[in-house]
Amino acid sequence: MNAPFAPTRISPLFDEQAPHAAKWTQVETMQSVAAYGSADAARVPLAGIGDLSFRRRAGVKGPGAAAWLNALGIATPERPNSYLRLDDGTLVLRMGNTEFLVEDVAGGSRAATMLATAPSAGVYPVPRYDAALVITGRNAIELTRQTCAFDFASLSPSAQALVMTSMVGVGVTAIALDGADGTYFRLWCDGTYGGYLWATLVEVAADLGGGAVGLDALGRVAQQ
Amino acid sequence: MKLMTCPMNGTRPISEFAYWGEIRPAPDADTCTDEQWADYVFNRNGAPGVKKEWWCHTPSNTWFIAERDTEKDKVLRTYLHGEDK
């Protein structure tokens, strides 16, 4: 592997990824794996496990959270357990009745705006230290069947449903998104469990022709 | 597979839930006797029957109430606190 940078942010998956990484990059000041090897591109259409932890995110909860976000120009989903993808690619996740997670795309500033704005009455910031994963490929459903009791086939991108469930024993938030190459899944979990979740999913994905993929091979999925 | 229905997240395997015991209103610590307080702290009702219990859907940390027949281990209904109608 090439020499690591001196990053100001480190992915929660770093310790698991470092022995396998072939090429590093720095996105949003987080050292991230650009490539694991020449097999990355072939893994993406089968069962690719990518790390999007570099994306900036912020959370709020409380009875005033939706109105506070709206005042910042961030639209919120109307239904509990659903999400919105804004025009600039920002994901707004509504988890339960009054809790929200906002995740920027690379270069976005909505999370920074939230963190810099004083919460009003009934708004409580939720620190986020998530490991953020993406599962791509036509075998992604099979991978979820082996690792989770929830049926991911029921997660339709058009319904914009969000599910909080348990995957290999780790509590995860999951959504399905439409990409240029088909549906893919996003997962968020507590960062301290991220390494275990990532390593386990990569091991299962390897049986399905996939495995870990770097940001270079993810291409637009990483940028959307 | 045993299933439980979370009022927010729907029906899921029981492995996604944690059981936190029967709802037991505490006696007023300022006015109750020592015996009443000791009974509240140390004793639990083990008699089978329909009980209201605290459950938590752990991936979402959703706390809710389940009315469960502990004799038949059958969940009669579940709802969020304050939504008992």
Side-chain angles (χ1 to χ4, degrees):
Chain A
M1 92 186 176
N2 57 347
F5 299 106
T8 53
R9 299 166 72 215
I10 292 179
S11 168
L13 312 177
F14 178 84
D15 286 345
E16 292 286 344
Q17 294 173 330
H20 310 286
K23 180 184 166 194
W24 293 92
T25 185
Q26 196 166 178
V27 194
E28 295 286 325
T29 72
M30 181 177 281
Q31 184 174 347
S32 301
V33 179
Y36 291 92
S38 56
D40 283 18
R43 291 171 178 164
V44 171
L46 292 172
I49 311 295
D51 176 18
L52 302 184
S53 301
F54 66 84
R55 292 188 174 181
R56 308 265 184 188
R57 58 188 71 83
V60 286
K61 67 192 297 185
W68 185 77
L69 287 169
N70 296 156
L72 292 178
I74 302 172
T76 49
E78 290 185 5
R79 289 177 291 113
N81 289 357
S82 65
Y83 72 90
L84 276 182
R85 183 150 70 170
L86 306 184
D87 291 341
D88 61 4
T90 306
L91 284 174
V92 184
L93 277 56
R94 179 172 176 179
M95 300 177 291
N97 279 322
T98 59
E99 182 168 349
F100 297 87
L101 167 63
V102 176
E103 185 184 79
D104 283 330
V105 290
S109 60
R110 294 185 190 269
T113 302
M114 289 170 62
L115 295 172
T117 307
S120 55
V123 180
Y124 309 100
V126 180
R128 304 295 313 200
Y129 303 104
D130 302 67
L133 305 181
V134 58
I135 307 176
T136 68
R138 59 178 178 269
N139 292 335
I141 284 283
E142 182 57 35
L143 185 146
T144 62
R145 284 178 184 142
Q146 294 185 35
T147 53
C148 182
F150 180 81
D151 181 10
F152 273 57
S154 65
L155 269 185
S156 143
S158 58
Q160 298 187 310
L162 172 153
V163 65
M164 287 173 279
T165 185
S166 180
M167 182 174 269
V168 292
V170 178
V172 298
T173 301
I175 64 172
L177 289 162
D178 265 333
D181 300 317
T183 300
Y184 62 94
F185 300 108
R186 291 290 316 277
L187 299 177
W188 293 263
C189 76
D190 184 285
T192 56
Y193 292 110
Y196 161 70
L197 178 65
W198 180 86
T200 308
L201 293 182
V202 165
E203 190 175 339
V204 177
D207 291 338
L208 300 167
V213 294
L215 296 181
D216 288 352
L218 283 173
R220 280 198 297 181
V221 168
Q223 292 151 18
Q224 281 169 343
Chain B
M1 181 193 295
K2 275 190 175 181
L3 300 174
M4 173 65 93
T5 300
C6 168
M8 287 301 299
N9 296 281
T11 303
R12 299 292 174 78
I14 200 77
S15 58
E16 292 193 13
F17 295 87
Y19 163 75
W20 279 83
E22 186 181 6
I23 297 176
R24 304 164 58 243
D28 186 336
D30 294 328
T31 58
C32 74
T33 64
D34 285 353
E35 288 73 21
Q36 287 172 319
W37 186 252
D39 179 60
Y40 170 70
V41 171
F42 294 110
N43 296 329
R44 299 291 181 271
N45 176 11
V50 176
K51 294 180 179 178
K52 292 184 180 181
E53 301 168 333
W54 280 117
W55 285 76
C56 178
H57 180 242
T58 51
S60 62
N61 202 28
T62 303
W63 288 82
F64 63 94
I65 296 165
E67 289 185 6
R68 186 170 68 97
D69 185 334
T70 59
E71 183 176 18
K72 301 177 178 128
D73 191 20
K74 183 173 182 180
V75 177
L76 305 176
R77 64 183 187 128
T78 58
Y79 49 90
L80 297 176
H81 181 257
E83 295 185 358
D84 181 11
K85 291 168 188 164

